[in-house]
Amino acid sequence: MKISVEGIGEFELSDNSPLILLLDKIKELNPKKSLPVAFLTPSGEILDWHTPINSTAPSLSLKPLYPEDKEALLVLRHTASHVLAQAVKELFPKAKLGIGPAIDEGFYYDIAYERPFTEEDLVKIEEKVKEIINKDLPLKREELSKEEAKALFQNLNEDFKLELIDEIPEDKVSVYRQGDFVDLCRGPHVLSTGEIKAIKLLSVSGAYWKGDEKNPMLWRIYGTAFFKEEDLSAYLNFLEEVKKRDHRRLGKELELFTIEEDIGPGLVIWLPKGAIVRRIIEDFWKDEHLKRGYQLLYTPHVALLDLWKTSGHLDFYRENMFPPMELENRAYQLKPMNCPFHIYVYNQKRRSYRELPLRFCELGTVYRFERSGVLHGLLRVRGFTQDDAHIFCREDQLQEELVKVLELVIYFLKLFGFEEYKVYLSTRPEKYVGDERRWDLAESSLQSALQTLGLPYEIDPGEGVFYGPKIDLKIRDVLGRDWQCSTVQVDFNLPERFDLVYVGEDNQFHRPIMIHRALLGSLERFLGVLIEHYAGAFPFWLAPVQIKVLTIKDSVIPYAETVSSRLKSLGFRVEDDFRPEKLNYKIRQAQLEKVPYMIILGEKEMETGTVSLRSRKGEHLNNITLDEAIERFQSEAHPLFGAS
RNA sequence: GCCGGCGUAGCUCAGCGGUAGAGCAGCGGAUUCGUAAUCCGCAGGUCGUGGGUUCGAUCCCCACCGCCGGCUCCA
């Protein structure tokens, strides 16, 4: 067959042969001088040098992958995980191998052993890994029948591999070898272990075999690998940066929030500084919703258990709910969701088609039971406030409402500087309620809403909730990390369960469609993400303290007081630092508190009736008038205010 | 929930079988000093909780609580 490699040339390869047979020719003709790490097929699959090309087509065009390509890194890391496994097997022959894939930021291998691996083991393993890399062992692929493979791994005592072989549907399986090491693997892999120029083992932890807690626990060793040493150190720097931005650390340092052992795990206390930030967001949120025809609600935190029976939550959501409590012989339930309450608001009276859509919104605090091991700062908690809304509409209104909701999502996210999103549309799962026609309608409405807004999206087939399809948005923060916040879900179930109706133009009862949506998700989580996104340095309009007034000597305090009170009267959040400390000391403190602006006042300013401004970024604007300073503050007050 | 690690002053951390130490913060005093730490002094801890071992436990053992990392991104 004919193989054409983009940018290199065309080659003849006998059927069912691997590309490695063309190694010398490709090397010779390649203008880049460096060999491709692997190749991309037209269907987007990664093809390595080792895998025989099994195609009925007379020709195949391949895109070479070089170290700078993302896919190449996956190949390298897959090999890295084999090297890790080899090292472990050499040091701990009794270890049994699970699986060892490449992942987004590196690779891991799950390994069973009689005792957990320690940090010291990790050091030793890493040394061994580097030894294996230095030997520059070539990788070799072999195809075996399942029987042969089973015999091979039986011999090696690799129980988990035997289990995996049984799960492979094909008749043949492949193994990759390097040196004395062999692993069941479909590839792809690099040519030899020497291609791994930088590698680091990062951590060990327990992980259930196949992620199922009924299965035995293996030890998972995480690592990462690169083609270049610089890339590794850049990655390690990135990890440092992530640590510095950790919202739990910043939350403490900046006095934003606390989670207290004595109060309870996953229960957040907002400290004054954090509470200000939250309030600004909440106020803005409410205003924007009122402008857009939403009606604001407040609903209780508990309700009779029966409500949750009717809603169905007791059946399908029980494991995430706090247990019910008994009071005067009646059972009450802490609310895990707001929707049933909003439904009762809908049901206050007979609704006409003319009233729809009805949009009810609430910053509703809900309580959900999360297993202790998964709690994480503000990102995973047990009590949180959703920026929730439920829209009740007619079928013919569904699409327009969805467009509006998505527009609002984007509007809010942009406000906080999130410009990149990943959008996922989850479609009908195997088990679902409601009729197919409505599902199709909802799915196509979601889809065309996304298209209307020109939002690129991926489809997660079958990942919808049983009561309706949904759109989830993940935002990407400045460090390129994705966070799931927004969600828009169409619901056919609750209107049915609570027998919601409206009277149509035809004077008949009709069932409204319900949309659940949260823009920010939960305020706790969103603020956690925001803290990390901004590294604690909130933009001016969100900063708990916007301006700090610093005096250089006591004699200027009266002047400083006039400046400060003028700013306060304009509504700025100002703190005074009139202590008899050195200026440097005060600046340092304000800087560590990440206050956007400092106003510095000394003799000069007092005499000329001016102020000196120092921004958090270190810019100096000396001896400007207070009005000029105010102008500058106002320009930063609210980037999107009134722009809707 | 499970696995591993951790829990010492408000914070960050040192110590480790002979009942505790630093820096920062706090308090007192001195310093009035122009763009990221002025100096001196003082005070502060039932060493997560409860048991056990020991002449003696912050240190060793057990249980509990909490925190951190991880628990399919399919060979």
Side-chain angles (χ1 to χ4, degrees):
Chain A
M1 71 184 310
K2 211 183 264 174
I3 303 286
S4 77
V5 183
E6 203 178 293
I8 300 182
E10 294 205 352
F11 307 89
E12 194 58 44
L13 184 67
S14 51
D15 283 350
N16 218 21
S17 302
L19 286 163
I20 199 162
L21 297 179
L22 299 172
L23 185 65
D24 292 334
K25 286 183 188 167
I26 289 179
K27 198 187 271 181
E28 206 174 295
L29 284 175
N30 189 2
K32 289 188 89 163
K33 295 280 192 293
S34 66
L35 272 175
V37 176
F39 304 86
L40 215 53
T41 66
S43 59
E45 280 168 71
I46 301 175
L47 180 67
D48 65 13
W49 290 94
H50 313 284
T51 308
I53 300 174
N54 180 3
S55 167
T56 47
S59 69
L60 185 66
S61 72
L62 297 174
K63 182 178 176 286
L65 292 170
Y66 293 101
E68 50 277 19
D69 294 309
K70 206 184 160 210
E71 294 92 339
L73 215 42
L74 284 176
V75 181
L76 184 80
R77 287 167 174 175
H78 197 170
T79 304
S81 84
H82 278 212
V83 173
L84 166 61
Q86 180 178 4
V88 171
K89 288 290 281 189
E90 284 182 22
L91 290 168
F92 310 95
K94 277 192 261 172
K96 291 176 199 270
L97 302 177
I99 59 167
I103 52 174
D104 279 352
E105 293 186 356
F107 61 89
Y108 67 78
Y109 218 113
D110 283 348
I111 299 164
Y113 193 56
E114 60 204 25
R115 60 164 179 86
F117 295 110
T118 62
E119 290 294 314
E120 296 85 75
D121 292 334
L122 220 56
V123 174
K124 269 189 256 160
I125 295 168
E126 190 170 299
E127 275 168 31
K128 184 60 90 179
V129 161
K130 288 184 174 158
E131 235 172 76
I132 294 166
I133 290 171
N134 286 336
K135 283 188 196 155
D136 199 16
L137 301 172
L139 280 101
K140 295 203 184 89
R141 181 191 165 103
E142 272 170 48
E143 284 194 4
L144 305 175
S145 71
K146 277 189 175 174
E147 296 317 308
E148 291 169 316
K150 274 188 166 177
L152 173 67
F153 288 104
Q154 184 94 61
N155 225 1
L156 292 168
N157 249 320
E158 296 287 6
D159 311 341
F160 297 104
K161 297 294 176 186
L162 294 176
E163 201 178 320
L164 292 170
I165 293 169
D166 280 332
E167 286 168 12
I168 295 173
E170 290 83 27
D171 305 330
K172 293 202 140 194
V173 301
S174 57
V175 298
Y176 277 78
R177 295 177 183 274
Q178 81 238 5
D180 301 331
F181 177 77
V182 59
D183 196 1
L184 176 73
C185 181
R186 75 173 153 217
H189 282 282
V190 296
L191 281 166
S192 78
T193 61
E195 289 183 55
I196 305 166
K197 300 297 182 202
I199 189 164
K200 187 160 176 63
L201 301 185
L202 297 168
S203 62
V204 216
S205 58
Y208 297 107
W209 172 236
K210 292 176 183 165
D212 188 334
E213 52 194 279
K214 292 184 203 86
N215 286 336
M217 185 163 278
L218 312 187
W219 310 114
R220 174 170 296 182
I221 301 178
Y222 279 94
T224 193
F226 294 91
F227 288 101
K228 285 186 295 189
E229 215 30 85
E230 303 103 88
D231 293 346
L232 175 60
S233 54
Y235 178 70
L236 295 177
N237 283 339
F238 166 80
L239 291 183
E240 280 303 304
E241 184 61 30
V242 166
K243 237 193 225 167
K244 270 191 235 156
R245 284 172 181 255
D246 191 316
H247 72 281
R248 293 166 299 187
R249 171 205 182 106
L250 288 168
K252 186 168 273 177
E253 280 173 11
L254 302 174
E255 298 178 6
L256 300 170
F257 69 91
T258 179
I259 297 172
E260 293 288 322
E261 188 169 345
D262 295 341
I263 288 168
L267 301 172
V268 179
I269 309 288
W270 287 100
L271 300 173
K273 296 251 160 85
I276 291 179
V277 181
R278 175 167 164 166
R279 207 202 91 182
I280 295 163
I281 295 173
E282 288 184 352
D283 287 351
F284 181 76
W285 188 92
K286 287 178 187 168
D287 290 346
E288 293 299 315
H289 278 75
L290 294 175
K291 275 190 213 165
R292 287 171 173 76
Y294 284 80
Q295 293 170 285
L296 195 56
L297 304 180
Y298 295 98
T299 67
H301 289 211
V302 285
L304 290 169
L305 188 62
D306 284 343
L307 177 69
W308 305 101
K309 283 185 188 154
T310 310
S311 70
H313 286 97
L314 212 52
D315 292 328
F316 67 83
Y317 207 68
R318 177 180 251 141
E319 65 202 37
N320 284 301
M321 285 156 64
F322 278 71
M325 45 198 150
E326 284 277 332
L327 229 83
E328 292 177 328
N329 283 327
R330 301 186 84 182
Y332 288 81
Q333 173 64 48
L334 210 43
K335 70 170 166 183
M337 297 197 188
N338 302 304
C339 23
F341 301 93
H342 293 197
I343 282 173
Y344 276 84
V345 178
Y346 178 94
N347 255 352
Q348 282 302 293
K349 52 187 169 183
R350 183 64 74 215
R351 300 292 182 178
S352 150
Y353 72 98
R354 295 176 210 269
E355 288 178 82
L356 302 184
L358 280 165
R359 308 184 188 95
F360 299 133
C361 68
E362 178 183 12
L363 294 167
T365 304
V366 297
Y367 297 89
R368 297 182 183 174
F369 173 70
E370 296 281 358
R371 300 202 291 179
S372 58
V374 304
L375 298 173
H376 182 97
L378 295 176
L379 301 180
R380 197 84 181 261
V381 292
R382 286 185 175 159
F384 58 95
T385 302
Q386 290 183 303
D387 68 319
D388 210 357
H390 296 93
I391 298 167
F392 300 86
C393 67
R394 308 188 304 256
E395 278 184 18
D396 62 289
Q397 294 171 321
L398 180 59
Q399 172 160 354
E400 195 189 335
E401 284 308 303
L402 290 171
V403 170
K404 284 184 178 166
V405 164
L406 287 170
E407 272 173 345
L408 192 53
V409 169
I410 301 295
Y411 174 75
F412 265 91
L413 295 180
K414 275 202 174 139
L415 178 76
F416 297 99
F418 297 111
E419 301 276 352
E420 269 187 81
Y421 331 98
K422 276 195 183 160
V423 184
Y424 300 88
L425 171 63
S426 303
T427 55
R428 191 169 71 228
E430 302 228 333
K431 281 174 70 181
Y432 64 94
V433 299
D435 60 282
E436 259 177 67
R437 186 191 61 80
R438 281 200 145 189
W439 269 89
D440 291 342
L441 172 78
E443 284 177 13
S444 65
S445 301
L446 283 166
Q447 204 150 354
S448 49
L450 289 168
Q451 279 155 7
T452 306
L453 295 170
L455 284 172
Y457 60 94
E458 281 172 41
I459 294 182
D460 276 343
E463 288 300 304
V465 206
F466 71 90
Y467 53 75
K470 62 169 181 173
I471 289 174
D472 289 323
L473 256 93
K474 284 188 181 174
I475 54 182
R476 174 156 297 183
D477 72 9
V478 280
L479 293 187
R481 297 170 303 171
D482 293 327
W483 306 94
Q484 212 232 290
C485 292
S486 322
T487 181
V488 181
Q489 309 182 350
V490 180
D491 186 348
F492 310 122
N493 182 44
L494 284 178
E496 200 76 44
R497 281 178 169 270
F498 286 93
D499 195 23
L500 297 188
V501 292
Y502 65 88
V503 179
E505 205 170 359
D506 55 5
N507 200 30
Q508 302 288 311
F509 286 152
H510 297 271
R511 187 80 74 212
I513 295 180
M514 190 172 171
I515 303 169
H516 306 246
R517 49 109 280 201
L519 310 178
L520 310 177
S522 95
L523 290 171
E524 284 74 9
R525 159 178 279 251
F526 190 74
L527 273 153
V529 172
L530 265 195
I531 292 167
E532 305 215 350
H533 180 61
Y534 294 132
F538 289 102
F540 188 80
W541 66 279
L542 273 177
V545 177
Q546 297 175 301
I547 304 157
K548 252 189 142 166
V549 180
L550 314 184
T551 51
I552 292 173
K553 52 192 291 195
D554 289 354
S555 55
V556 298
I557 289 177
Y559 177 58
E561 267 162 357
T562 65
V563 170
S564 173
S565 60
R566 167 96 191 279
L567 291 169
K568 284 173 191 156
S569 72
L570 289 169
F572 292 112
R573 296 182 291 279
V574 184
E575 259 183 21
D576 302 327
D577 188 351
F578 299 164
R579 294 172 303 170
E581 296 289 349
K582 287 185 75 170
L583 180 61
N584 276 343
Y585 180 77
K586 296 188 190 183
I587 288 175
R588 179 181 154 81
Q589 245 177 24
Q591 199 74 40
L592 291 175
E593 288 163 20
K594 302 183 194 285
V595 176
Y597 283 106
M598 294 164 227
I599 282 185
I600 295 165
L601 301 173
E603 295 279 4
K604 275 188 235 162
E605 287 75 13
M606 189 166 68
E607 279 160 21
T608 53
T610 61
V611 300
S612 287
L613 213 56
R614 179 194 160 104
S615 80
R616 180 166 59 191
K617 294 178 200 121
E619 309 160 80
H620 299 181
L621 278 169
N622 287 340
N623 294 93
I624 59 172
T625 66
L626 184 54
D627 285 334
E628 285 170 319
I630 288 169
E631 221 170 280
R632 177 155 180 147
F633 299 149
Q634 277 164 345
S635 76
E636 290 193 37
H638 206 309
L640 282 182
F641 202 75
S644 53

